Amino acid sequence: MGVFTVLTRCILQPLSVVDDELVPKVGMTFTTLEDAGKFYRNYAKAAGFSTRVREGKWKSKISPTEKTNPTAGLNCPARIYIHTLKDVGAWIISKVVLDHSHPCCPSKAEMLKQHRELSMSIRRTIENNEEAGIRPSKTYQSFVAAAGGHRELNFIEKDVRNYITREVRNVSEQEDAKEFGKYFLRMKEKNPNFFFELQLEEDQSIKLAFWADARSRAAFEYFGDVISFDTTYNTNRYNLVCGSFVGVNHHGQSTLLGCSLMKNEEIESFKWLFQSWLRCMGGNAPKGFLTDQCASMKRALEACMPTTVHRRYIWHIMKKIPSKLNGYKGHADIEQEMSQVVWNSHSKDSFDRNWNDFLLNFGLGDNKWLLDLYEDRHIWVPIYLDHHFWAGMRSTQRSESMHSFFNKYITRNSSLIQFVKQYDNCLGSREQAERESDAADFHTVIPCATKSCIEAQFQDAYTHAKFREVQAQFKGKANCITRLKNSALGYSVYEVGEQVSSSIFNKFVVTYNSVAAEVKCHCLLFESRGILCRHALSVLSFEQVSQVSPRYILERWSKKVKRRHTHIKSSHDEPLMEPRSKRFDQLVFRSQNICEFASESEELTAILHRAYDNVMAEMEALKAKRKGTSSLSHEDANLESVNELQSPPRIRTRGRPKNRLGSKLEKQIANATKKKKTKVLSEINLFDAASAAHSNCSEYQGHVMSYQFRVPAAGDNSLGV
């Protein structure tokens, strides 16, 4: 009943409420068909309906019983007929029908698609936000907040999403691969040290791709000793596998050292990728390489980097414990005990003993997963690996942070060119984080927590992030009790007991050579992370050492090293904007300063308003004089090397947005060219969009409430659809 009341109220809205100047009347003339269409649209908005332009009669090709989308109505008689006056080159209204067969509601007209629009300012904001990886919902909410509410906007969130899908993200599969290749050429032109390699299928589709920007290649010189590599599938519409090479910088932050896209995860694919990466980095293999539990990756790594120490992510293994062992009674105790054995075994022999006891105690001796893990213990158990340097990387946290970035902004419908642009954003965010930390190291100082001269040494040399790690060890020294076990010829053996709880003490053996000024703890913190442990610091304090040997102050963590890569910008593609968008951005940029200055007072604001009025009047006058003229500009680029590229076969997903393969106007131009003939119109009618069912119609789909005109042939003085 409520719905009926609302409709009745709308139906009873008399047309006289519309300003008489907006009501179409027989005899009205217009200079152009565009002016006539604009006039009728303004009337439609005021009266509460939407319009369509049509020449001749049209009938839907789809049976009414097959239509599923909602329609505005059927066979509404409301329309105006327009004739062309050839002698004077104008258009005149010859007939007007104002009656409708459906309700018209002016208060809801702004929600009709035809009357919703995105201004140039809104479109540029959407494009910039999409480039920055901001979700459409957040973009729309920012418009709502700026306008002061939903009712103040003349568009809805769906319009924002449609614009992104049809205009911003819209790249056909054929053009996607070409744009992907052109991106690499643009980056190479910006900086010759940009590196990329592609492997193509016989049909020229992309099988494998690897690239690294100039900054990443320069950063490898300092941070290429330990590399984390991992893959993720949530990449793009072709289901290509993304692989990212990640290092650790002097602040302990993740730094990107190359990216790849792969069609599959076969051994040969990984071999090609690792060889490409090595060529990119000057043939210098890292000392340590962390990967997941991929057998193909492991074999390819052994073939390409035989001298590199391979380590599997312990996090990948430990997180599988619940799923692998939850079928056993007391699986929570099993998980806890296994973690104790893995993390708290301080020698290989003790690990072997503890592991065997663990299997025996829980009756797990026949568990194949655990047996296989034991066979591979040398590539994942800490005590087997921590005598090598790992820069603090022992889990997938580095790669996982990269994946979370991509997963946030990249979907299975994303194009290749979208992916590389988001990778650029990731590079930029990593660069900015490093720059901010470098600035903080230069301008600020973290106070020492103790009176130790050794702490002051590290305060002077290390970056803030690494000095905080050193301070944590100095603070932990308070829980340590040092006892000399034996000493001979300057070589001393200590036992350091660390209290980890009210009743538990862990014991560590620390040796100190006073002649060589060398200290070593079997916890291997310094060897694996490059930070002196609290046990070693306790012994140095016991020995009254005031300065540590330079070997314990790693240049890798130093804030004083001038690193070449910091002077190189990370790669970032300039947005390929149409000339109008460029001009718009330039005008907005300049006007911001003027508006900021004028907003200081009402008087200055009034001056600017008057200036705007005068300029607007001058521009409208100039535009009126130029009506009917047009211009065309284009750019030619010789990119033969990438014009034959083809995208891989697209992986279809549910809910995929339809590709925009060209606007209706473009299709009409193409059809007109093929037919090589033009129909001269002398009459056209503009009618209520509800005069015919328009859902699922091939001719009008996506253009239900907008005008579509064909381009006239030379000498044609009329326009039609």
Side-chain angles (χ1 to χ4, degrees):
M1 190 66 182
V3 174
F4 178 79
T5 303
V6 172
L7 291 178
T8 302
R9 187 179 301 118
C10 292
I11 294 172
L12 294 178
Q13 287 265 10
L15 291 178
S16 58
V17 298
V18 179
D19 191 326
D20 187 63
E21 293 182 356
L22 297 177
V23 178
K25 303 176 184 66
V26 174
M28 283 185 169
T29 58
F30 304 92
T31 305
T32 65
L33 183 60
E34 181 184 1
D35 291 341
K38 184 177 180 181
F39 174 81
Y40 194 56
R41 285 197 302 272
N42 289 337
Y43 164 70
K45 185 174 183 180
F49 65 95
S50 60
T51 67
R52 182 186 292 162
V53 61
R54 188 173 77 201
E55 175 269 329
K57 293 185 178 181
W58 166 84
K59 184 178 180 181
S60 175
K61 298 177 182 178
I62 301 175
S63 168
T65 58
E66 297 177 357
K67 294 179 176 20
T68 57
N69 291 341
T71 63
L74 293 172
N75 301 320
C76 178
R79 66 192 62 208
I80 62 173
Y81 294 82
I82 305 175
H83 280 77
T84 180
L85 300 174
K86 295 183 179 180
D87 296 337
V88 295
W91 293 79
I92 186 170
I93 297 179
S94 58
K95 183 179 178 181
V96 176
V97 180
L98 299 180
D99 296 328
H100 297 267
S101 63
H102 59 88
C104 295
C105 193
S107 64
K108 292 181 173 58
E110 61 185 16
M111 288 294 98
L112 297 177
K113 185 175 181 180
Q114 183 186 56
H115 302 310
R116 306 195 308 261
E117 62 177 341
L118 301 175
S119 66
M120 174 67 81
S121 176
I122 294 295
R123 296 198 302 272
R124 291 298 298 130
T125 301
I126 293 172
E127 291 165 7
N128 290 334
N129 286 4
E130 175 67 11
E131 183 84 11
I134 299 174
R135 293 182 181 275
S137 59
K138 298 292 185 183
T139 297
Y140 179 71
Q141 287 303 320
S142 71
F143 292 140
V144 173
H150 291 80
R151 288 179 175 272
E152 305 305 316
L153 295 177
N154 59 346
F155 59 91
I156 60 177
E157 185 175 338
K158 184 179 180 181
D159 297 325
V160 175
R161 294 183 180 278
N162 286 345
Y163 182 74
I164 292 173
T165 300
R166 296 171 184 170
E167 304 295 336
V168 182
R169 292 181 182 173
N170 174 49
V171 182
S172 68
E173 281 86 346
Q174 185 179 8
E175 291 302 316
D176 193 14
K178 292 181 175 61
E179 289 303 319
F180 187 62
K182 291 175 183 178
Y183 162 83
F184 289 147
L185 294 182
R186 288 195 297 270
M187 294 301 98
K188 188 78 175 175
E189 186 178 352
K190 277 186 161 187
N191 192 319
N193 285 329
F194 184 93
F195 182 98
F196 72 93
E197 286 191 355
L198 302 175
Q199 186 179 95
L200 308 178
E201 300 280 20
E202 291 183 0
D203 63 355
Q204 298 300 297
S205 66
I206 297 169
K207 180 180 180 181
L208 298 164
F210 168 75
W211 68 98
D213 73 330
R215 193 175 196 275
S216 295
R217 298 182 74 185
F220 179 84
E221 177 184 346
Y222 308 98
F223 313 127
D225 46 2
V226 183
I227 299 298
S228 165
F229 179 80
D230 199 11
T231 56
T232 179
Y233 284 86
N234 188 20
T235 53
N236 51 55
R237 62 180 67 161
Y238 314 107
N239 207 31
L240 295 176
V241 179
C242 167
S244 54
F245 296 84
V246 183
V248 177
N249 68 7
H250 49 305
H251 301 290
Q253 301 165 337
S254 297
T255 183
L256 291 167
L257 300 175
C259 189
S260 64
L261 291 172
M262 300 183 292
K263 199 171 182 178
N264 58 58
E265 291 186 280
E266 298 173 356
I267 296 175
E268 292 305 314
S269 295
F270 282 119
K271 281 185 178 180
W272 180 92
L273 173 59
F274 292 153
Q275 288 166 355
S276 296
W277 184 71
L278 286 173
R279 281 194 296 274
C280 174
M281 301 306 172
N284 299 314
K287 295 177 181 177
F289 205 96
L290 290 91
T291 70
D292 60 19
Q293 288 180 280
C294 175
S296 299
M297 196 187 301
K298 179 178 181 292
R299 291 177 62 182
L301 184 62
E302 290 170 348
C304 299
M305 305 179 214
T307 62
T308 298
V309 180
H310 178 211
R311 182 172 195 162
R312 282 181 176 167
Y313 297 124
I314 193 171
W315 179 81
H316 268 178
I317 295 170
M318 301 304 284
K319 79 172 184 177
K320 291 181 180 179
I321 296 176
S323 63
K324 295 290 185 178
L325 303 178
N326 62 7
Y328 291 88
K329 184 179 180 180
H331 61 85
D333 294 333
I334 293 176
E335 182 177 352
Q336 183 177 1
E337 183 62 24
M338 183 174 169
S339 296
Q340 286 289 329
V341 172
V342 170
W343 293 108
N344 294 326
S345 296
H346 298 300
S347 70
K348 296 176 183 178
D349 290 339
S350 66
F351 173 80
D352 292 342
R353 288 194 305 271
N354 295 338
W355 184 267
N356 289 328
D357 291 343
F358 159 68
L359 295 181
L360 184 63
N361 293 339
F362 291 97
L364 299 170
D366 60 347
N367 184 284
K368 188 178 185 306
W369 182 66
L370 293 175
L371 292 175
D372 290 341
L373 283 182
Y374 184 74
E375 288 298 316
D376 290 335
R377 61 192 181 281
H378 61 286
I379 60 173
W380 71 275
V381 177
I383 194 58
Y384 282 86
L385 293 157
D386 280 354
H387 54 286
H388 297 291
F389 181 68
W390 296 102
M393 280 201 291
R394 290 199 298 193
S395 71
T396 58
Q397 60 182 10
R398 306 288 171 178
S399 294
E400 291 294 327
S401 65
M402 298 301 105
H403 296 173
S404 65
F405 182 92
F406 290 126
N407 292 344
K408 190 175 181 181
Y409 303 119
I410 298 294
T411 70
R412 284 195 177 275
N413 283 326
S414 298
S415 62
L416 293 173
I417 195 64
Q418 274 182 277
F419 182 85
V420 293
K421 287 186 176 182
Q422 289 304 333
Y423 182 76
D424 278 358
N425 288 341
C426 196
L427 283 173
S429 69
R430 296 294 84 210
E431 177 188 2
Q432 183 62 18
E434 184 176 307
R435 291 178 67 245
E436 291 173 6
S437 296
D438 284 343
D441 289 342
F442 184 78
H443 292 290
T444 62
V445 176
I446 297 177
C448 287
T450 69
K451 301 296 182 182
S452 170
C453 294
I454 296 177
E455 185 186 3
Q457 262 188 288
F458 288 107
Q459 179 199 46
D460 178 65
Y462 276 11
T463 62
H464 286 0
K466 287 301 163 181
F467 179 55
R468 287 191 180 96
E469 292 184 30
V470 172
Q471 279 195 325
Q473 297 303 316
F474 270 96
K475 293 174 182 177
K477 187 163 69 79
N479 298 320
C480 297
I481 299 174
T482 305
R483 183 168 66 90
L484 178 63
K485 295 191 70 174
N486 58 69
S487 178
L489 300 175
Y491 185 83
S492 304
V493 179
Y494 288 87
E495 182 182 84
V496 177
E498 180 182 6
Q499 187 174 10
V500 294
S501 69
S502 59
S503 59
I504 299 177
F505 279 80
N506 288 336
K507 295 180 179 180
F508 300 87
V509 175
V510 181
T511 59
Y512 177 67
N513 187 329
S514 60
V515 177
E518 185 177 81
V519 64
K520 188 172 183 178
C521 177
H522 78 233
C523 79
L524 300 175
L525 184 71
F526 179 76
E527 286 76 9
S528 64
R529 286 177 52 187
I531 299 293
L532 274 178
C533 66
R534 51 202 173 277
H535 320 117
L537 291 173
S538 295
V539 169
L540 292 175
S541 179
F542 190 90
E543 289 279 350
Q544 297 184 342
V545 175
S546 60
Q547 296 283 300
V548 297
S549 169
R551 71 164 66 94
Y552 299 112
I553 302 178
L554 300 189
E555 188 177 83
R556 199 189 193 290
W557 307 135
S558 175
K559 62 185 176 184
K560 297 183 177 182
V561 175
K562 304 298 182 183
R563 296 175 174 86
R564 185 168 59 91
H565 76 280
T566 59
H567 303 291
I568 304 173
K569 289 184 178 180
S570 61
S571 68
H572 197 278
D573 199 12
E574 297 297 329
L576 300 176
M577 294 186 295
E578 61 179 16
R580 184 181 181 186
S581 295
K582 290 182 179 180
R583 294 193 294 268
F584 177 83
D585 285 355
Q586 292 167 354
L587 291 169
V588 169
F589 181 78
R590 291 199 65 182
S591 65
Q592 285 176 343
N593 291 334
I594 299 174
C595 293
E596 183 177 354
F597 181 80
S599 64
E600 292 179 0
S601 69
E602 290 291 341
E603 292 79 8
L604 292 174
T605 301
I607 292 174
L608 184 58
H609 277 306
R610 289 196 297 273
Y612 277 152
D613 292 340
N614 294 334
V615 170
M616 196 67 189
E618 184 178 348
M619 290 191 299
E620 287 178 344
L622 179 61
K623 188 175 180 181
K625 289 181 181 178
R626 291 184 172 181
K627 210 167 230 182
T629 64
S630 63
S631 62
L632 179 66
S633 64
H634 67 277
E635 258 181 66
D636 290 324
N638 185 12
L639 299 172
E640 295 180 2
S641 56
V642 297
N643 279 338
E644 297 304 317
L645 282 178
Q646 300 294 323
S647 299
R650 177 159 185 172
I651 305 300
R652 301 295 177 182
T653 57
R654 296 182 66 183
R656 179 179 63 84
K658 294 180 180 178
N659 291 326
R660 177 186 178 276
L661 299 179
S663 68
K664 185 175 178 184
L665 179 59
E666 291 166 347
K667 292 178 182 177
Q668 291 171 341
I669 294 172
N671 291 336
T673 303
K674 289 178 182 177
K675 294 178 181 178
K676 295 183 179 179
K677 63 180 181 178
T678 304
K679 181 179 179 182
V680 179
L681 301 180
S682 60
E683 179 180 301
I684 193 168
N685 62 54
L686 286 77
F687 57 96
D688 187 330
S691 64
H694 51 259
S695 66
N696 294 329
C697 160
S698 61
E699 183 176 357
Y700 291 111
Q701 186 169 356
H703 309 284
V704 172
M705 300 177 186
S706 61
Y707 288 87
Q708 298 295 326
F709 301 122
R710 67 170 173 81
V711 174
D716 190 352
N717 62 350
S718 63
L719 289 173
V721 294

